[in-house]
Amino acid sequence: MASWTPQQAGLQEIVQTIHKSTDTNTAGVQTAITHKLNSFTRVPDYVAYLAYILAAMPQEEDRIRTIAGYLLKNNARLILRAAPDVLSFVKASVLQAFTDPSVMVRNAAGQDIVQFLGILEPKNWPECLQQLVHTLDSTVPDQQEAAFNVLEKACEDYPRKLDVEINGTYPLEYMIPKFLVLSEHHSSRMRAHAIACLSYFVPINCQALFTHLDTFIACLFKRASDDDAQVRRHVCQALVLLLASKPEKLMPEMQNVAEYMLYSTKDRNENVALEACEFWLTFAEDPDLAPWLHPLLGRVAPVLLDCMVYGEDDLLWLEADAEDAEVPDKETDIKPRHYGGKTHGFDHEETNGDGSSGSKRVGAYGEELADDDDDDEGFDEDDDEFADEMSTEWNLRKCAAAALDVLAVRFGPDLLNQLLEPLKAKLWSDDWLQRESGVLALGAMAEGCIDAIEPHLPTLIPYLISTLNDPKPLVRSITCWTLGRYASWCTQSTTEEHKNQFFVPTLEGLLRMVLDNNKRVQEAGCSAFATLEEDAGAELAPYLEPVLRNLVFAFDKYQHKNMLILYDAVGTLADAVGPALQNPAFVDILMPPLLKRWTKLKDDDEDLVPLLECLASVTIAMGPSFVPYAGPIFERCSTIVHTSLLQYQAFQQNPDMDEPDRSFLVVALDLLSGLAQGLGMGLEPCITRSQPNLLQLLTVCLKHPQAPVRQSAYALVGDLAMNAFPLLRPHMGGIMEELIVQLDPEPKVDFVSACNNAAWSVGEVALRYGRDAPEFQVWVPPLISRLIPILLHPKAPRSLHENAAVSIGRIGLMHPQLVAPLLPEFAQAWCQALQEIRDNEEKDSAFRGLCTLVQSNPAGIAKSLLWFCNAIVKWTSPSAELNAMFQQLLSGFKQHDSAGWTATVGSFPPVIQEKLRTRYGV
């Protein structure tokens, strides 16, 4: 086979383009160069040219060759469709460049090797793996270290791809013992690489490592007191991974391991301390290890508390004392936001053993803690309310706070008993750094220790409110967050005294922080106030005027980043107080600043997305009071939908274009949903005037390749069906065609929310057509033939089961003769899907549908009678109509065959028998 050689003209063009890319002065030039470099990716042997520049052009500057190496890394996946001669050339070239005299070139080649070895897999490039392992025996320290560096990255990124048979042998059977030997190397860098490489094979249950597990653990203990901090860090990391994967191996030595980890958590090197702190977080997260962790609480908890004090580096980075409210934000301060669109779901009864609801748990550092629920969507939940509060990256302070949070959930009052005295000492310390860490700890323990802390809250809440006056902005900001964590207690309106003593002062205090002169405090205050809004709900209505005036004042005060949080707070307020916002005085306060922002922003300004999201909530709450503003807002949303669809069409015809941002389209559809809910048939003039007609555009959105667009489009279909069905009805033919296809028993993860909304919306449509409507009848068989498999599919997410069940019930209510014959197929799964949902109108109409089907086909429920009765007694307050249907059916069953009924019910669990007897006399 002929070896690959470059065409000189093509080579020169690429080299010249790389040279030009180093001209960082002109943005226009940079954009043109980026497009040109992207266009090269369509050249079949582009990666070979890059490899050639990297390895075979020593006459070029090292910088140019290095850039070629980084371009090669970024385009590494092109190797998968490369010709055999190109593949061979690239592989040989990067290995050659890895031995180049230039350090820059060697480093770039090392990164290329990591990428290609992962993409091609070691089994398809064994000579590379061989060369790397062989170089570990080199007498040249730089070569040794470079090879180990590449191997460490490979072991970290794709350990499973290394744990394979290659040409009849398992390389790890040779590599693992070699790494163990090298953990004794005289060079600390080599020791650190060796332990790191070994540790990455722990989580994948690698047999080659576990054969030598006792030797590995002995090696860790031996290196535990290593002089080098990096080695100690990897020892701690390995012990964390062992605790997560093979805890039984550490338990016999847990006393020594715990002592070492406590000592290391206090290490002067923060990287070592952070890895050691991860040990306690991992320990706490595993419920099976609680018996071993419990006796250590008294030692561990105070150490974690001390780790939560800001370090000197943090304080330098935070520039914490600035009154910076008038300083514009840098664009780099603003994190990208991902708008996921509306999803229809249901509230559930509290089913956790501890009486807690199934809501998401947010950790002490603002991340969302995993729970055991297997639900559901792959949303972009941007729930890091506090991630920025303690710097941008994971650090010791955050890790300690997270560990304390999980320990609180695991041990509750026992943890508080251990921390009560040290916590008091911190909260009332003269040192503001100690006070600040105490307030953080109090917030971190809020969820797990709430029952034990509750008796202290009458003292602690006033303390926190007074701490909002602290001169240090970092103390004020953390206090906002902690008050947010206790918002649900503050909003319990048990008595007027509780409201006046705790709720009102918290409300006033947080509103003051919303208008603080420090941007960090504004952010924390605004986020905490949004939490308070959610918990207080309609209780906020009497205070709406001062709340609105404060938030409106913030519109003139806030810089870019906090403005986005302010939109969230206004939207959350609208969701919380609902129709109370219809008061004309409140409309006059809130709408002018929102409209000012609205007119200032262009249709392609990213800040329009959170503003539209906010307006969607405001529109629903204001309802008819929003009519004066509806026309221009509807027209702009309609224009955004139309423009976005045209942009996407152009992109599909020319894939070289950048893919348009879908967020504008998604959020415009959601605001239109808000208008539909708020104004109903009041939208008729807007829709009639729209050019092109909005409902024709909506049908196109249902075909959009991106699931979040379809998700919001189906939400709009459902909302129009509920609130303005006469406008939707003429377009239902095209809509149903798409909707039926969207109903998929096993949708891809990304498609679940779109499928959810489609399943929900079709139930709303069925109700609006009415009983036995011939127009809808033609769609019943294809709909039911897709909804039943969704309901019966064991892997479908719970929310999809629920929406499918509700729509089957509603279609059954309107077309019982068509659905009743299929009742035996789905009755049990139907009852199971809806038995835990909280009582509401949707559930009521669905159950009326099921009862109608049972009336039409009583035999169809025979095999699912236990589940049917269980679902009935789970109701707290069914409507009078539904309760009468339950009574009629149950009495009918008993009258039809009294002895059979008595025998059947006698086999039910006692709690069901009791409720059937007391409620329905059967």
Side-chain angles (χ1 to χ4, degrees), residues 374-417:
D374 58 356
D375 252 11
D376 227 72
E377 277 75 78
F379 303 134
D380 285 309
E381 286 273 347
D382 214 359
D383 210 356
D384 44 1
E385 55 170 319
F386 198 55
D388 282 345
E389 196 63 60
M390 296 175 286
S391 95
T392 55
E393 57 184 35
W394 187 240
N395 58 19
L396 178 61
R397 171 182 161 87
K398 286 187 194 177
C399 186
L404 201 64
D405 182 358
V406 184
L407 284 171
V409 171
R410 186 75 61 228
F411 298 113
D414 291 352
L415 176 71
L416 187 65
N417 289 340

Side-chain angles (χ1 to χ4, degrees), residues 16 275 393 453 521 583 596 646 724 757 813 835:
Q16 283 166 12
E275 287 297 344
E393 57 184 35
I453 288 176
V521 179
N583 181 325
K596 185 178 168 186
L646 289 175
N757 285 1
L813 181 62
Q835 63 188 17

Side-chain angles (χ1 to χ4, degrees), residues 748-775:
K748 295 177 188 170
V749 173
D750 295 347
F751 292 4
V752 168
S753 295
C755 193
N756 250 335
N757 285 1
W760 162 73
S761 64
V762 79
E764 295 293 345
V765 169
L767 288 184
R768 277 29 185 219
Y769 268 108
R771 184 76 183 240
D772 295 325
E775 201 179 329

Side-chain angles (χ1 to χ4, degrees), residues 795-816:
K795 289 184 181 171
R798 180 168 71 174
S799 60
L800 202 46
H801 282 153
E802 291 165 354
N803 279 312
V806 166
S807 284
I808 290 169
R810 289 170 149 195
I811 294 170
L813 181 62
M814 296 296 125
H815 303 273

Side-chain angles (χ1 to χ4, degrees), residues 359-374:
S359 62
K360 293 272 184 259
R361 293 202 300 115
V362 177
Y365 42 92
E367 90 300 7
E368 201 172 88
L369 296 174
D371 54 27
D372 296 330
D373 198 3
D374 58 356

Side-chain angles (χ1 to χ4, degrees), residues 631-685:
I633 285 177
F634 176 91
E635 283 167 26
R636 190 166 184 184
C637 286
S638 194
T639 301
I640 290 171
V641 170
H642 188 212
T643 307
S644 298
L645 291 174
L646 289 175
Q647 286 172 344
Y648 208 85
Q649 187 180 21
F651 164 70
Q652 287 177 309
Q653 289 164 359
N654 181 9
D656 291 343
M657 291 172 59
D658 290 335
E659 186 168 9
D661 184 355
R662 69 179 182 224
S663 302
F664 295 96
L665 176 52
V666 169
V667 80
L669 289 167
D670 287 350
L671 180 43
L672 289 165
S673 274
L675 287 166
Q677 289 175 69
L679 305 181
M681 286 302 291
L683 268 185
E684 184 171 17

Side-chain angles (χ1 to χ4, degrees), residues 19-241:
H19 272 282
K20 286 178 186 170
S21 74
T22 61
D23 173 16
T24 52
N25 301 329
T26 324
V29 171
Q30 278 298 319
T31 307
I33 294 294
T34 304
H35 276 294
K36 188 158 189 183
L37 287 170
N38 287 341
S39 73
F40 289 149
T41 60
R42 292 196 293 280
V43 177
D45 49 358
Y46 176 49
V47 285
Y49 280 98
L50 294 173
Y52 185 87
I53 298 166
L54 173 71
M57 295 188 74
Q59 71 275 23
E60 283 292 339
E61 295 173 56
D62 290 351
R63 185 175 58 142
I64 300 302
R65 296 170 65 197
T66 302
I67 292 172
Y70 290 138
L71 287 169
L72 184 58
K73 174 192 161 193
N74 293 341
N75 292 285
R77 296 202 70 79
L78 297 175
I79 201 75
L80 293 172
R81 53 176 193 261
D85 60 331
V86 170
L87 176 60
S88 300
F89 181 83
V90 171
K91 284 158 66 169
S93 295
V94 292
L95 288 178
Q96 179 189 327
F98 191 54
T99 61
D100 196 90
S102 162
V103 175
M104 285 171 70
V105 171
R106 286 203 304 274
N107 287 343
Q111 293 191 36
D112 292 335
I113 290 171
V114 174
Q115 283 297 104
F116 285 125
L117 198 56
I119 290 165
L120 297 170
E121 301 199 11
K123 63 185 177 191
N124 298 314
W125 198 11
E127 65 274 20
C128 174
L129 195 58
Q130 231 167 349
Q131 183 174 324
L132 290 169
V133 175
H134 179 69
T135 309
L136 295 179
D137 295 326
S138 169
T139 53
V140 182
D142 281 357
Q143 290 181 3
Q144 239 187 344
E145 221 255 303
F148 224 159
N149 199 30
V150 169
L151 281 168
E152 185 187 327
K153 287 191 176 75
C155 294
E156 182 179 9
D157 290 350
Y158 39 85
R160 281 193 171 82
K161 292 179 182 178
L162 292 161
D163 191 13
V164 291
E165 188 177 355
I166 302 176
N167 300 332
T169 61
Y170 282 83
L172 286 184
E173 289 179 357
Y174 171 72
M175 289 162 66
I176 297 284
K178 190 166 199 65
F179 295 159
L180 286 166
V181 170
L182 289 169
S183 71
E184 306 272 350
H185 199 277
H186 61 83
S187 159
S188 61
R189 286 184 169 189
M190 295 292 283
R191 297 198 299 275
H193 284 314
I195 291 169
C197 285
L198 289 161
S199 69
Y200 294 130
F201 292 106
V202 173
I204 67 161
N205 291 320
C206 168
Q207 204 44 53
L209 175 66
F210 288 167
T211 304
H212 302 278
L213 194 55
D214 291 337
T215 313
F216 177 44
I217 292 172
C219 144
L220 293 177
F221 288 151
K222 196 167 185 179
R223 295 269 64 88
S225 55
D226 200 285
D227 292 339
D228 186 81
Q230 192 67 349
V231 175
R232 296 198 305 279
R233 182 175 84 82
H234 284 302
V235 168
C236 291
Q237 180 187 44
L239 289 169
V240 171
L241 292 168

